[in-house]
Amino acid sequence: MKFVLCDCNNFYASCERVFRPDLRERPVVVLSNNDGCIIARSAEVKALGVKMGSPYFRERARLEDAGAKVFSSNYSLYGDMSRRVMGTLQTLIPDVEVYSIDEAFLLLDSAPLRGGTIGELCRSIRRRVLQWTGIPVSLGVGPTKTLAKAANRIAKKDLSRGGVFEMPEGDGTDPFLAGIEVGDVWGVGFRYASMLKRSGIRTALDLKGADDEWIRRRMTLCGLRTVWELRGTVCHPFKACPDPAKSIRSSRSFGEPVVSLHHLRESVASFVERACETLRSQRSTAGCISVFIATSFHRDEPRYANAASRRLAGGSDLTPALVTAAMECLEDIYVPGFQYVKAGVLLRELNSDRIRQAGLFGGAETDRGVRLMEAVDRINNELGRGIISVAASARWKTHVWDMKHNFRSSCYTTRWEDLAGVHVADGGASPCRN
Amino acid sequence: MQELKITGFPSPAAPWSEKPLDILDLLAPNPVSTFFMRLEEDVPQWALLEGDILIVDRSLEPRTGSLAVVVEDGSLALRVSACSGARRFFVLPDGKESSGIDIETWGSVRGVARLL
C-alpha cells in the first residue's frame, strides 16, 4: 500500500492563468483577503525572492518593476477549480482524501496499476489533471502520508523529475530526508522546528533517528507519530471522511479600520451567524463562545487586543442565543478610541451528540428555536446564503468593514456574466488587458 | 422541490420510470473538464452569433473539422482544427490558415447554447 500526495503547483496563481493565457510567462501573485499579504506566487515571483506571506505594500515596487500581475483572492474561482481537480483525480483513483483546497492524498493498492508502475500511473494522473483542468500538479509517493508529503516536496523542487517523485523503499529514503529541513516536515510547526534545531536535529533524517522517549516528552504523541511515519510506519491512516471539527472559528480582517462599537457589533454578529451555520451543518452544539478584537500590529498607532468568553449552559446551536452571548463578550472587551482591524469568534467544547441536552431542560422555548433554525437553514440553502439573517449583523448594508478586493478576477466558472470571452479575428488582434 | 407521494392508487408507470432528459448529459458529459465561454463576435460562416455560449470540453480531443478554443498570441480564439499528416493547424472563418505561431488547443467546443 502506498500514499500519494497530489499537490497543485502555485494553485491560486495557476487558476488565474487558466483563463488568462497571456499571463503564462508573466510573474503572478495573489493577495490575501483585503489585499494585505502575498499568499500565492508563480514560479517567476518565487525566483524574484518574494516571500510567502509578506505584506503587499512592502513588495509592491519590486513586483511592478518585474511586470508582475497582481490579483485579489477569488475564492469562488479557486473553490470551483479545486472541485474540478479533485473530481478528475477520482476518475483515476477511487480513494481520494481531499486534504485542503489544493492537496489530496490518494491511496494506491495494486488494483489500479493494471500492470504499469506507480511512476507511470502518477505521470498519467498529472497529464490528465493538466489536460482536463489546466492546473499543473506534483505527486509524491511514499509508504506513509508524511513520506508522501516529503516526496512531493522533492517532486516540486527538482524540476528534472517531471513533477513526480517516489520515495525509495526502506532506508533508501535517507539521502533524500537528509536534504529536507526539519521545519519542512509535515506536522512539525515553527516552534517545534526551532526547539529541534537547538537540540541539533536539523533535517528530516535527524528527526527520523531521534530517540522515541525524548521526542514523546518534548513533542507529545503527535510528534512521535511524525517520527514513526518518517520510518515508514503508518500512524495517519487514509481518511474517507473528515473528523468533526473540535472548534469553529470565524474571523476576518476589515477592509477599513473600525472604531465604533456599533460596527464591531455588526461584524461580530455576522461571524457568529457563519460559525453557527457550520456548527449546525455538522450537527454539533457549542458549550463556549469566545470573541476577540485586535488593532493592527503593522501601523504606528496605539495597539490593543483582547478576548472574552461566555459559557452556554448545556450547549447551544441557536444563532440568537450565541449572538446574545457574543455581544456580552464584546461589551466586556471593547475600549473606545482604537482602530480595530480584525475581529472574530471561536466556538469551543463542541458536542456532536445528537441528543440535545438543552432539549431536556430548555423546554418549549428551545424546541421552537431549533425549529426556527431548521427553517432558516433550509431557506438559506435553497435561496442563497444570507437571505434570512439576524438583524444584528445588518447583512443588507454595505459595511465599512467589508473586504477589499481591488484586483479580483472574474468568476469565470460560477457567474454567467463573468464568462471568459473568445474572439475570432486572426493573430495579434487580441484585446490588451491589464 | 419535494417529491410528491401517492396516497391512492400506486402508479402503473413506476416500474418503467426513467431519468428525465437533461440537456447537460449531451452538452457536458464530463462536467469537471467542461467550461462555458462567451463568443465575442458574429461568425456567419460557422453559423455562430455574438453572445453565444461555447461549451468547451478540455477532455475532448480535437478532430479535423471540429471547433476548438485555442490559445493564440496569449488570448483565447475560436478556430477550426485541421490536420495534414502529423501537422495540426487551425483555420479561420474565411478558410485560411491562422497566421499565429505556437497555437495550442485550450479545449474542444462540444456545443453551443443560445437563448433566443
Side-chain angles (χ1 to χ4, degrees), chain A residues 188-349:
Chain A
V188 177
F190 177 74
R191 284 216 186 126
Y192 280 139
S194 38
M195 183 277 289
L196 288 167
K197 279 185 200 152
R198 279 197 304 276
S199 311
I201 296 176
R202 304 188 165 279
T203 68
L205 183 61
D206 297 341
L207 186 61
K208 180 188 171 190
D211 178 64
D212 281 13
E213 190 47 36
W214 187 86
I215 291 290
R216 203 192 52 76
R217 264 187 290 122
R218 307 297 289 270
M219 297 174 69
T220 76
L221 199 57
C222 286
L224 192 55
R225 288 203 186 104
T226 301
V227 173
W228 285 358
E229 284 239 319
L230 284 173
R231 294 175 192 158
T233 307
V234 175
C235 298
H236 299 293
F238 181 84
K239 269 189 230 162
C241 43
D243 301 330
K246 291 195 179 74
S247 63
I248 296 171
R249 186 188 159 99
S250 170
S251 67
R252 202 179 264 183
S253 298
F254 301 136
E256 295 288 332
V258 167
V259 183
S260 79
L261 178 61
H262 173 71
H263 285 139
L264 278 177
R265 283 169 145 273
E266 289 177 347
S267 68
V268 169
S270 76
F271 300 147
V272 175
E273 195 158 50
R274 214 145 33 113
C276 285
E277 283 166 12
T278 312
L279 185 67
R280 289 194 296 271
S281 74
Q282 65 171 53
R283 302 200 155 274
S284 304
T285 57
C288 182
I289 181 168
S290 308
V291 173
F292 65 89
I293 53 177
T295 61
S296 168
F297 284 85
H298 288 302
R299 294 165 202 257
D300 288 331
E301 277 160 20
R303 293 172 183 181
Y304 171 74
N306 207 348
S309 305
R310 281 284 183 286
R311 306 202 65 79
L312 300 149
S316 177
D317 64 354
L318 306 181
T319 306
L322 276 90
V323 168
T324 307
M327 294 302 123
E328 290 173 19
C329 295
L330 185 57
E331 305 275 354
D332 287 354
I333 53 177
Y334 173 75
V335 179
F338 287 106
Q339 305 257 322
Y340 296 98
V341 298
K342 190 165 189 172
V345 302
L346 183 70
L347 307 183
R348 284 177 300 155
E349 296 175 22

Side-chain angles (χ1 to χ4, degrees), chain A residues 84 131 420 422-424 427, chain B residues 34 38 58 72 75 78-79:
Chain A
R84 290 167 182 269
Q131 171 72 55
V422 177
H423 70 87
V424 187
Chain B
T34 301
R38 184 87 61 184
R58 290 182 58 102
E72 192 183 289
S75 66
L78 189 65
R79 299 285 178 258

Side-chain angles (χ1 to χ4, degrees), chain B:
Chain B
M1 237 179 288
Q2 259 180 316
E3 197 197 339
L4 298 173
K5 300 276 188 325
I6 297 169
T7 61
F9 296 101
S11 166
W16 283 272
S17 89
E18 291 184 10
K19 187 176 164 290
L21 293 177
D22 182 345
I23 194 72
L24 285 177
D25 292 343
L26 284 182
L27 296 173
N30 192 4
V32 296
S33 63
T34 301
F35 296 83
F36 301 133
M37 293 184 168
R38 184 87 61 184
L39 186 62
E40 286 174 339
E41 50 204 293
D42 290 342
V43 196
Q45 298 91 330
W46 298 337
L48 296 172
L49 297 177
E50 182 191 338
D52 282 355
I53 295 171
L54 307 173
I55 293 136
V56 186
D57 188 345
R58 290 182 58 102
S59 71
L60 187 66
E61 283 292 320
R63 286 166 306 171
T64 292
S66 67
L67 277 177
V69 170
V70 302
V71 175
E72 192 183 289
D73 301 313
S75 66
L76 298 169
L78 189 65
R79 299 285 178 258
V80 164
S81 183
C83 270
S84 97
R87 193 179 83 93
R88 179 165 293 286
F89 60 101
F90 298 92
V91 178
L92 295 160
D94 60 12
K96 295 197 181 107
E97 186 180 339
S98 169
S99 66
I101 39 166
D102 293 334
I103 304 179
E104 66 179 86
T105 305
W106 194 95
S108 299
V109 179
R110 197 182 269 278
V112 177
R114 178 185 304 159
L115 292 178
L116 299 176

Side-chain angles (χ1 to χ4, degrees), chain A residues 58 114 139 178 227 268 314 352 370 387:
Chain A
R58 220 172 272 164
R114 290 187 211 98
L139 296 102
V227 173
V268 169
S352 52
V370 170
I387 291 279

